[in-house]
Amino acid sequence: MSASTQLMVNYLIRNRIINEVTAKKIELQAAQNEKNIGEILLDEGYFTSDDLMLVLSELYRNGSLGIEDLNSEFSIDTEVFLRNFAKSLNFEYMDLDAVDIDYRMATRVPLSQLKKYKALPIKEDEINVYIALKDPTDINAHEGVQRIYNRKLVKIVIADPAQVDKYLVKMELGESIKGLISDIRKELSSSAADNPQESSGILKLIEIILKTAILARASDIHIEPTENNCIVRSRIDGMLSEAFMFDKDIYPPLASRMKLLSNMDIAEKRKPQDGRFSATVLGKEYDFRISALPIMHGESIVLRILDKSKVMIKLENLGMHPRNFERFAKAMKSPYGIILVTGPTGSGKTTTLYAALNAIKSIETKIITVEDPVEYQLNLTQQTQVNEKANLTFASALRSILRQDPDIIMIGEIRDQETLRIAIQAALTGHLVFSTLHTNDAISAVTRIVDMGIEPYLISGALVAIEAQRLVRKLCPHCKSKFNLPKTLHDQIEEYLPETYTFYKNVGCEKCAQTGYLGREMLSEILPISEEIASMIAQGTTKEKIRQQAYDEGFIDMYQDGILRASKGITTMDEVLRVAKS
C-alpha cells in the first residue's frame, strides 16, 4: 500500500470519518490493486466528489500530499483540483501555458531571489503585481516576494507547480544568453543599425538556437513573436516545448537574418515564403527547410531539421507488431499493385516508405520516386523532386516516370484524383506502387479513395495492402515508475492484455528534460486486401462490414498494438489513448 493511501486512511480515522474496521477493509481493497484509494472512497460512498476535493485541498495545503499523488492515487485532474484549491483560498487560478508572461518583470529583480522563493512574476498593472508561487501556502515566500516588488501590491495566483518550475528554468536559460542579447542591442544601436541582419550577435544567437534544438533531438524549431516577447519552441518527440524567450526587439533582425540565410525576400512581410539552407552544427551537416507566415505580431518562422547523415532505419527495426511486420513484408513481395502508408502529418510515413524501398532495392529492379521534397538520398534509386514553378507536379512527374520503364514507383503523397488515377493505372499495368495518404486508419483509406472519385472495381483490383501508423512517445528508462491503472480503464482494455503485464507512468528527470519520455515508437495496423475484402470493395460494401471482415481475418488495430506496448512498459496508456483511441 502506498504512503498516500496510508496517509489518507490515517486522516480519516483521526477525524472520525471512518472507524478501524472500515480502515482495514479499505486497506485490503487498496492492497489488491484493483482500485486506487480515490476510487474506493467514492465507489463505497464514504465521500461525494465535492467532499473528497475539500479533504484533499486541506492535505495539499498542509503539505501532506503533492500534485503527483493526486494524479496517481486519486485519479484527479491537476487543473480541476487547482481551480478548486484556488477558489477555496479566494485566489485566481492561471494556466501558465495559456498566458503571455511578461518576462521584463523578471529582468528587473535578481533571478536568484525569484528562485529562492520559487516565484514566477506573470504580469502587472498600475496597482498589482501578479506572482505564481510553486508553494502558495509558504508565508515566507509571500513576504519575500512583497519585499522584492515593494512598490506595488503582490497578488498571488495559483498555478501548476510543474509549470512554475518549467518557466523558472526558461528564465535561467534566458539569463544565460542575456550577455549575447545585450551585445545584439549594442550592435543594433551602433553602425550595424543600417543593416541589422549583419550583426554578428544575431549569427551567434541563431547558432545557439540551432545547437540547442539539435542537442534536444528536436525535429522542428518554431520562432514566434507575441505582443510582449519572442518565443523559440522546439518540437521534441512530437510535442512542442519552449526553449528560449527574449524581448521582442530582438525578433526583427533575427527574422531578417533567417530569411537572408534561406534566400527569401527580407522586405516581403505580407506573403508566406519558403526556403532552405544548410549549416554545419556540432560537426555534422544539416539541411533546414524554413517557412515564414505573416501573423498578428510579425511572422511565424518554422524550421524543419533534416539530418543528412541520418542512418536509414531497417524495416525490421521500425517496431511493427510481429504479425503486422509479416503481413507488410509479404505485401512488398507482390509483383504489382498499390501499397498505401497512411497517417497524419509527422507520423513517420516517409520513414516507413524509405525503409520499405531500402529493403527491396536491388540491381535487378528499377525504382523511381517522386517526392516533395527529397528528404534523404537512397542509392540504386532515381529520385525526382516536385517543382511547381517548372510545372513538375506529382501527376506530370508520374506520367513521365511510366515512360522510364520502372519496376517500382514511390509517390511521396497522393493529393488529388489525377495522381491517384495514374497511380492505380500504373498498379494495374504491372508496377508496384508505394504511396502515402492522410487518413485516420487503414480501413478509412478505402472509403477515402472512393470519395476521391475512383471506381470501386479499380480499387479492388489495384490495392495490395494498407498500413496505418502513429507515433507514441517512449517512456524514459531512467525515471519511469510502476503504476496501477484506474479500474475503469483496466476493465476497458482487459480483453487485449497479455498474461503478464506491468504498466508504468512518466515521471521526469534531467535525461528526458523533465517530460518522462525519451524517443518515439510506432503503433501500426496493416490491412492486407484479401480476395474477400477485394470483392467487398468492388461491391461497394460499407466500411463497418469491411472492418468486421478484417477482424475475422486477424486484423490487429493500432489501439490493440498500443495496449500491448503500454503493458510491456514501453509507453503509457495516456500516450496510447492520445494517439490511437478512435
Side-chain angles (χ1 to χ4, degrees):
M1 185 171 60
S2 74
S4 307
T5 302
Q6 191 65 63
L7 179 102
M8 191 64 169
V9 170
N10 292 344
Y11 173 89
L12 297 176
I13 294 170
R14 198 166 57 248
N15 288 278
R16 298 184 179 177
I17 296 167
I18 60 171
N19 58 27
E20 295 282 353
V21 176
T22 309
K24 285 275 182 282
K25 189 178 163 190
I26 291 172
E27 285 172 0
L28 188 66
Q29 278 179 283
Q32 288 167 347
N33 284 337
E34 287 183 4
K35 295 180 185 176
N36 63 38
I37 180 72
E39 289 167 330
I40 294 166
L41 294 172
L42 290 172
D43 292 352
E44 300 295 325
Y46 299 116
F47 282 105
T48 64
S49 54
D50 288 346
D51 289 341
L52 181 60
M53 197 67 85
L54 285 171
V55 170
L56 292 175
S57 290
E58 190 181 326
L59 289 169
Y60 180 66
R61 191 183 296 129
N62 66 30
S64 303
L65 279 181
I67 287 288
E68 57 287 340
D69 299 318
L70 297 169
N71 284 320
S72 59
E73 301 297 337
F74 298 93
S75 303
I76 287 175
D77 180 70
T78 303
E79 187 176 333
V80 171
F81 172 76
L82 288 172
R83 282 186 186 278
N84 277 284
F85 182 63
K87 202 184 281 182
S88 73
L89 292 176
N90 229 0
F91 284 170
E92 186 185 352
Y93 168 79
M94 277 190 193
D95 175 3
L96 298 184
D97 289 340
V99 176
D100 188 12
I101 296 168
D102 187 352
Y103 280 80
R104 287 169 299 188
M105 290 172 63
T107 59
R108 295 200 290 268
V109 298
L111 185 63
S112 57
Q113 290 288 303
L114 294 176
K115 283 174 70 184
K116 178 184 172 184
Y117 297 118
K118 294 188 168 58
L120 181 77
I122 298 166
K123 60 177 183 174
E124 62 182 331
D125 52 34
E126 287 175 8
I127 303 163
N128 303 308
V129 175
Y130 295 84
I131 309 277
L133 290 178
K134 186 177 180 184
D135 180 3
T137 61
D138 182 349
I139 302 300
N140 287 336
H142 282 242
E143 291 170 355
V145 168
Q146 186 62 74
R147 279 196 301 275
I148 294 171
Y149 292 97
N150 53 13
R151 295 188 177 187
K152 289 192 178 178
L153 188 65
V154 168
K155 279 211 164 183
I156 300 297
V157 299
I158 301 292
D160 186 338
Q163 286 185 346
V164 175
D165 268 346
K166 180 173 84 174
Y167 285 101
L168 281 171
V169 168
K170 297 283 186 295
M171 279 184 182
E172 207 171 350
L173 198 58
E175 189 83 1
S176 67
I177 59 163
K178 214 174 185 176
L180 183 57
I181 298 294
S182 99
D183 288 349
I184 291 169
R185 284 211 179 96
K186 279 178 200 157
E187 287 175 359
L188 293 180
S189 59
S190 65
S191 57
D194 301 330
N195 204 357
Q197 64 271 13
E198 290 304 324
S199 151
S200 62
I202 287 289
L203 280 174
K204 276 186 202 155
L205 182 61
I206 290 171
E207 193 184 332
I208 288 171
I209 290 169
L210 299 183
K211 199 183 287 183
T212 307
I214 286 164
L215 284 171
R217 304 173 296 103
S219 59
D220 302 82
I221 303 167
H222 294 238
I223 301 168
E224 304 152 334
T226 66
E227 195 176 346
N228 300 317
N229 310 297
C230 170
I231 301 169
V232 179
R233 299 193 287 170
S234 300
R235 190 175 292 282
I236 302 158
D237 295 335
M239 293 294 193
L240 279 171
S241 69
E242 214 169 277
F244 298 103
M245 185 167 282
F246 27 79
D247 291 347
K248 204 178 169 183
D249 61 331
I250 301 299
Y251 172 77
L254 176 65
S256 295
R257 184 70 214 186
M258 286 278 190
K259 285 178 166 184
L260 208 61
L261 275 172
S262 45
N263 294 319
M264 285 152 68
D265 181 357
I266 63 168
E268 182 55 80
K269 294 181 171 70
R270 296 165 303 163
K271 286 195 306 195
Q273 294 188 74
D274 293 309
R276 62 192 301 156
F277 67 93
S278 294
T280 303
V281 183
L282 300 164
K284 277 171 75 177
E285 199 175 342
Y286 292 86
D287 272 349
F288 297 92
R289 259 201 350 249
I290 180 168
S291 162
L293 177 76
I295 56 168
M296 280 285 288
H297 301 292
E299 288 174 286
S300 168
I301 292 178
V302 178
L303 290 91
R304 164 62 59 91
I305 302 168
L306 303 169
D307 182 355
K308 281 188 171 181
S309 66
K310 202 170 186 181
V311 181
M312 196 62 62
I313 298 173
K314 288 189 173 176
L315 196 61
E316 55 269 31
N317 296 342
L318 284 176
M320 282 187 196
H321 185 286
R323 198 187 308 170
N324 284 345
F325 173 72
E326 221 172 88
R327 290 174 157 195
F328 194 66
K330 187 180 173 188
M332 280 163 45
K333 293 192 177 91
S334 302
Y336 59 87
I338 285 189
I339 296 172
L340 285 176
V341 176
T342 77
T345 304
S347 59
K349 300 187 295 293
T350 309
T351 303
T352 302
L353 282 179
Y354 277 132
L357 291 180
N358 214 25
I360 56 176
K361 69 179 187 204
S362 71
I363 297 290
E364 291 84 37
T365 52
K366 170 100 170 181
I367 300 174
I368 306 183
T369 76
V370 51
E371 303 167 60
D372 182 21
V374 172
E375 289 192 18
Y376 303 109
Q377 289 168 19
L378 278 168
N379 60 348
L380 290 176
T381 306
Q382 317 309 314
Q383 292 169 278
T384 310
Q385 185 158 310
V386 166
N387 185 343
E388 300 284 347
K389 286 177 187 168
N391 205 22
L392 182 64
T393 61
F394 276 113
S396 62
L398 202 45
R399 282 197 198 91
S400 303
I401 283 169
L402 289 172
R403 292 194 285 274
Q404 288 272 314
D405 185 30
D407 299 296
I408 296 161
I409 301 166
M410 191 268 266
I411 308 163
E413 188 186 332
I414 291 176
R415 292 177 184 168
D416 51 46
Q417 192 204 46
E418 190 185 4
T419 309
L420 182 56
R421 196 168 282 282
I422 301 166
I424 285 175
Q425 294 297 347
L428 292 170
T429 53
H431 303 90
L432 184 59
V433 180
F434 288 86
S435 190
T436 71
L437 201 64
H438 288 279
T439 62
N440 288 331
D441 55 56
I443 293 155
S444 299
V446 176
T447 47
R448 173 65 55 84
I449 296 168
V450 173
D451 291 344
M452 284 173 84
I454 304 295
E455 296 78 3
Y457 69 88
L458 286 176
I459 301 166
S460 67
L463 273 180
V464 173
I466 303 164
E467 189 255 8
Q469 63 185 65
R470 295 275 198 291
L471 293 175
V472 287
R473 291 180 293 168
K474 288 198 294 189
L475 277 161
C476 171
H478 307 286
C479 62
K480 65 180 182 180
S481 73
K482 287 187 182 178
F483 175 64
N484 294 321
L485 287 184
K487 188 176 186 307
T488 46
L489 179 57
H490 185 277
D491 291 348
Q492 279 173 32
I493 65 171
E494 199 165 10
E495 59 180 300
Y496 306 124
L497 290 173
E499 281 181 29
T500 57
Y501 56 87
T502 310
F503 288 96
Y504 290 82
K505 66 173 178 177
N506 58 313
V507 179
C509 64
E510 280 184 14
K511 299 253 172 62
C512 59
Q514 305 304 326
T515 60
Y517 296 101
L518 202 59
R520 287 191 288 177
E521 174 114 343
M522 183 171 87
L523 302 186
S524 64
E525 58 186 34
I526 295 190
L527 178 71
I529 308 298
S530 62
E531 283 183 24
E532 289 80 3
I533 290 176
S535 162
M536 290 168 91
I537 293 169
Q539 289 162 24
T541 310
T542 62
K543 191 161 98 173
E544 282 63 39
K545 286 184 178 169
I546 294 173
R547 191 184 299 281
Q548 192 48 58
Q549 177 63 31
Y551 282 121
D552 292 345
E553 291 177 11
F555 178 67
I556 296 169
D557 63 36
M558 275 185 284
Y559 185 49
Q560 291 174 8
D561 188 18
I563 290 165
L564 284 172
R565 284 164 206 274
S567 69
K568 290 176 185 169
I570 295 167
T571 187
T572 59
M573 271 310 296
D574 285 347
E575 274 293 288
V576 174
L577 293 168
R578 179 176 70 84
V579 305
K581 187 76 178 108
S582 52

